[in-house]
Amino acid sequence: MNLMRWLKNWWNTNLRRRLLVSNVVTTLVFLAILGVLSFRIGRTSVQYEVNQGNKRLATLVAKDISMEYEMIIHHVQLFRDQMETLALTRMLQARAMLELRRTAPLTYRALYLFDREGQLLIHLTESLDDLQRIQQDSQILDRPSIPLTQDVVTAYKAARLGEFFRSTAQIIGIDQVPVIYMGVPLASDHGQPDHIIVMEVDLRDIWRRIDEIYVGQTGQAFIVSRKGMIIAHPDRRYIGQPIVSVSKLEPVVIGYEGQTEYIDPISGRRMLASYSPVGKQSGWGIVIEQEKTEALASVDKIASITLRVLAAAVLIAVMITTLIARSITRPIQHLARVTQTIAQTGDLNYHIDVERQDEVGRLSHTFNQMITRLQQANQEISTLNEELEQRVIERTAQLEAVNKNLQEAQEQLVRKEKLAILGQLAGGVGHELRNPLGVIFNAVYYLKMLLSETDETIKEYLEMIASEVRNAEKIVSDLLDFARIKSVEKEKVVVSEQVAWVLERQPLPEGVQVTTEIPADLPSVFVDPRQIEQVLLNLVINAYQAMSNGGVLTISAQGEKGKVILSVTDTGIGIPEEHKKKLFEPLFTTKVRGIGLGLAVSKNLIEANEGSIEVESEVGKGSTFTVILPTREYDS
Amino acid sequence: MSDKLTILIVDDDYNMAKTLSDILKLKGYLVEIVHSGADALEKVSAVSFDCVLSDIRMPEMNGVELFKAIKAQQPDLLTVLMTAYSSDTLVQEGLAEGVLAVMAKPLNIALLLRFFSFLCKERSVIIVDDDPQFCKTLGDILQARGFAVTQITNPHEVLDRLGTETDREVVLLDMKLDGIGGLELFQEIRKRHAYLPVIVVTGYWAEMASAIEAALQISVYACLYKPFEVEHLLQLLDEICSQELRRMLRQPARKRK
């Protein structure tokens, strides 16, 4: 299963690999089929050629041997004719026989001369080869003393019947000599043979021809007798052996020609053989055999060359396929890599060079278009995002502004409500206090009038009461002012006069210097003089109190279009930052005495007069209160 | 007017009424006290008063209602209202109805006493004209109407003959005088007396036009062209009287140089 999965994976993950493998496999299968087919056809045709060649050779050899054989027959017949025509003496007969042997194309190993009764008259052996010896031994020869072989007897008997006898080839003796026996009747007048000659013919001269036949390294020829025995063979071990084991060679024994294939029983090698009969009378067959391997060696050689060529072709195919596959897959892989990169990083800044017009080229082109579209889309999205962000920022700012306004409005509302409640309370209390204060004041006034002549202590005490009632009344007035009890009665007010009046009214503390810097051409302001006086008084009193250890009070003014800016600056203790915000709130005070309405009242009064008041201060250096007042309406 | 002013004090606050009455009595005024509007009306019908001092906030009938009732009976009776509630709508209503003044409590006694002393004084008219005939005739008419009259024919005497600020004086100034121009004289007067009411009189309307214009700029009270209706002058004098009384009752804003 794992292997299957691995294979599947291996197959599916690489396009180039797939292309390569498909191409190589196709090439390989095609070439293999082609190779096998051509090999087989080649082999068959080569085998056919070999067989044909061998058969021609066999026919040639057979013809050659057949001619030799015919020559022997012809020679013997010629001898018989001589012998028949000449009535010879025994001596002459012997001489003729010697002559015969001497002129014979082949070696006659032995010659026998029999008479009609089967009496061996002459027996020539190989060693009796000259006439002298025949003469010496004639007596001996007359007496056939040697045993006759069966073959000789058979030849004699056949010939006595008047037949020209020819035996098949025989292998005789220790030397394994191939021979044939011939029985030749010598006719007389009455037709009955008088004498019979039997010849033992040595075939080795003929057989030697076979030894000289070579076909390649392993090819050779041999001769088979009618009895199915190998009678001539370059390898002597085969001589005398039957061909029974090679039954496929049987047709040659019967006298047919053809070709066959068999396994040699002795060497065990596969052999190709062609055969042809030798003449019509000999009963022999020539067989040309050759080891098949060698016979087809050329085919095998071609095959091996072909195999190498095939391998080279496959190699070249692989290389070409690789190149082609690479050229096909490279843009695809590039595309795949780019796509992967884009998928992983989201970076769209890629462009694929389109070099081709094929499907991959079109794919790349389409991909580029897609990228462009994506970039455009991205661009649009980011533009929209920015716009959205911008709008969110704007809206947030607006909301913040609205929020701030709301908060301020709420604070103002709360402050107003606080002030309203305080005002109600202050108004109520103030008014109710005014009646008793009035009575006390009246009473004191009365007493002072009445006791104008009395002693100083009483006067002093009465003055104390009056003074404190005034103080109390001042507080009540502040409360009522704060509650906006008085209506605003505007008129033209000269700032310098107002300032001088206030400074005059308020005793100057020890160690404090006062400077005024008010230009002579400063326009008049249009305000309620009493209320502005009160504001100035408050500011001056505060400044004096801030400078308990001495300092300089500077009151300066300058005109601007439609308004006058009046500054009251002291060099006193200053106001901490955290107090600044609360400074103008009612009931805020840092003084031991006082209810913290002075600046709140001042602010209210100034705002009622359509002016404004601000403060700048630094702890340890002093404070500056800046009052802005309007000049006459419709002026300037 | 006699030295003995008769004053009616109306206040539901007994102590307030008492102390105020005692002070005024000590100054030699004739003072009556009532504690309600109804009592006040009753008192006003019975006795002739020079001035009524009334609180505004009282049960049943408030000060303004009282003033309206008094005005219906005696339109010339001077009425001053007092209140601890200076922002009261009744204050505005009272002022609109024609009350002389509304004073805030605690009362500025000194101011009040100055007012009464002013009220005690004779109303006087200073006629400045180089025409003695004119002075005489007009002086006689005015004296008959109860004014103290000073006739000045020499313009150089004018400045010496003017009284103090607390005097109930009105100057009738001819714009064409011997030796000194009416405008210059008026400017001199204004320098010394910021509030002294001055009425300019002239027979030369066309000639004096620029001088009159200048005088009006420096706050001359009015300008009369000879010959003028005496009734018109008397009306002006009443207006000035009333205005002066109101001025006396106003809280001093500041000292003037």
Side-chain angles (χ1 to χ4, degrees), chain B residues 235-250:
Chain B
Q235 201 182 329
L236 276 177
L237 289 174
D238 277 349
E239 272 180 28
I240 288 170
C241 174
S242 169
Q243 199 175 38
E244 285 291 284
L245 288 174
R246 286 176 204 276
R247 186 173 66 79
M248 290 306 292
L249 282 170
R250 211 183 291 152

Side-chain angles (χ1 to χ4, degrees), chain A residues 42-61:
Chain A
R43 202 177 161 91
T44 310
S45 65
V46 167
Q47 191 172 341
Y48 176 77
E49 282 303 315
V50 167
N51 282 332
Q52 288 298 313
N54 286 351
K55 204 155 84 181
R56 268 197 302 277
L57 186 60
T59 309
L60 275 174
V61 172

Side-chain angles (χ1 to χ4, degrees), chain A residues 218-273:
Chain A
T218 57
Q220 58 196 359
F222 62 93
I223 298 173
V224 184
S225 76
R226 193 161 290 165
K227 289 179 179 170
M229 189 177 69
I230 294 170
I231 51 175
H233 202 287
D235 188 344
R236 297 287 176 258
R237 287 177 297 171
Y238 286 86
I239 292 172
Q241 297 294 323
I243 57 155
V244 183
S245 58
V246 191
S247 56
K248 286 183 177 173
L249 281 175
E250 272 169 15
V252 79
V253 176
I254 316 166
Y256 290 100
E257 61 171 23
Q259 65 271 339
T260 187
E261 189 180 332
Y262 54 84
I263 294 168
D264 186 275
I266 294 176
S267 65
R269 291 184 294 192
R270 180 167 281 275
M271 309 301 279
L272 284 180

Side-chain angles (χ1 to χ4, degrees), chain B residues 190-208:
Chain B
R190 215 9 117 235
K191 274 182 187 170
R192 301 187 188 190
H193 303 280
Y195 294 108
L196 183 61
V198 175
I199 298 173
V200 174
V201 180
T202 183
Y204 307 94
W205 184 83
E207 291 170 38
M208 291 291 123

